[in-house]
Amino acid sequence: MSVLVVAGTDSGVGKTVVSAALAVLAKERGSSVAVVKPAQTGGGHDLDEVIRLSGVGTTFELTRFEEPLSPAAAARLAGVPPLSVPAAARFVEELAESNRLVVVEGTGGLLVRFDEDGATIADLARLVGAQVLVVAGAGLGALNHTALTLEALAHRGLDLAGVVIGRWPREAGITERSDVGDLEMLAARPLAGVLPEGAGRLGREAFAQVAREGLSAVLGGSFDPAAFKRRLGVP
């Protein structure tokens, strides 16, 4: 049984693309895989993107809110019950009994509230005993957001699966290149992957290749963080 929670340092850092990459690599290994989005907000269709990119059809959206707010705020505004994190955890555990990998994609950042009591994707990870894969940005603000996320994980006793840069720019500047070593320092380990900006617009075959090259061996790919840094010319 393996459950991997994909948590972002912020919105728009590439969680959905990373979730799809994990799914397609598991599928290529012949492993059964399910992808769960506990709360979709803002009218998005993240799981449709996962299906399109990976070809994995075992996906589950547990709650949907149209307003682009935290799940707790969106539920409150809509006048409907919020997501029950304990119920979501039980659902994930049941899926894990019949799937080698269950990928759980968070909403926004790690501590975005699901309900009025302050439950978060971190609480779901704790309830199911999952590792947490942190998806970070690159550029201004990335280091602070990542440091705060990793500190929150450590404070809660959660197991870090690694840090992946979800949207590496086509033309990386000095800030992005400098971030690579600093992100590894914050995580106390090499990067677990780097996916290029625009990967979510690729076709399925091209995306599978990007996933293989962009995620590390522990996640099923061939990404070499040392080689990546050498190409960038950073220590």
Side-chain angles (χ1 to χ4, degrees):
M1 184 183 82
S2 178
V3 180
L4 191 60
V5 167
V6 177
T9 58
D10 202 349
S11 297
V13 292
K15 294 186 303 296
T16 300
V17 169
V18 171
S19 297
L22 292 166
V24 75
L25 293 183
K27 181 183 176 184
E28 287 189 342
R29 295 193 302 271
S31 296
S32 54
V33 55
V35 182
V36 180
K37 181 81 174 183
Q40 176 74 65
T41 64
H45 298 278
D46 292 353
L47 291 183
D48 288 346
E49 286 300 292
V50 170
I51 294 168
R52 182 182 66 81
L53 291 168
S54 70
V56 170
T58 308
T59 63
F60 302 89
E61 182 182 276
L62 303 187
T63 52
R64 165 172 285 271
F65 306 104
E66 293 305 313
E67 296 299 330
L69 305 169
S70 72
R76 183 171 64 246
L77 187 64
V80 298
L83 173 76
S84 167
V85 170
R90 289 193 295 271
F91 182 81
V92 169
E93 288 177 330
E94 290 173 3
L95 277 179
E97 292 176 359
S98 56
N99 290 276
R100 290 288 299 276
L101 175 65
V102 179
V103 177
V104 182
E105 183 189 340
T107 302
L110 178 73
L111 299 185
V112 167
R113 294 163 64 99
F114 283 137
D115 62 25
E116 297 302 328
D117 293 326
T120 68
I121 197 70
D123 294 303
L124 195 154
R126 179 180 52 79
L127 287 172
V128 301
Q131 289 189 309
V132 179
L133 184 67
V134 172
V135 182
L140 293 175
L143 297 181
N144 184 58
H145 291 162
T146 305
L148 291 170
T149 301
L150 295 177
E151 184 173 314
L153 283 177
H155 179 70
R156 288 161 175 76
L158 294 172
D159 188 10
L160 175 66
V163 174
V164 173
I165 297 176
R167 299 179 65 183
W168 183 256
R170 290 185 179 87
E171 297 183 7
I174 188 171
T175 303
E176 290 83 6
R177 293 196 302 273
S178 177
D179 280 353
V180 172
D182 287 333
L183 286 170
E184 292 187 331
M185 179 272 295
L186 290 171
R189 67 190 71 186
L191 284 176
V194 176
L195 295 177
E197 189 175 37
R201 296 192 293 271
L202 297 172
R204 189 173 295 171
E205 185 175 338
F207 180 76
Q209 181 64 28
V210 164
R212 286 190 292 270
E213 295 175 352
L215 294 182
S216 67
V218 71
L219 300 175
S222 60
F223 174 76
D224 183 340
F228 178 70
K229 288 194 292 185
R230 285 196 298 270
R231 289 198 303 273
L232 295 178
V234 300

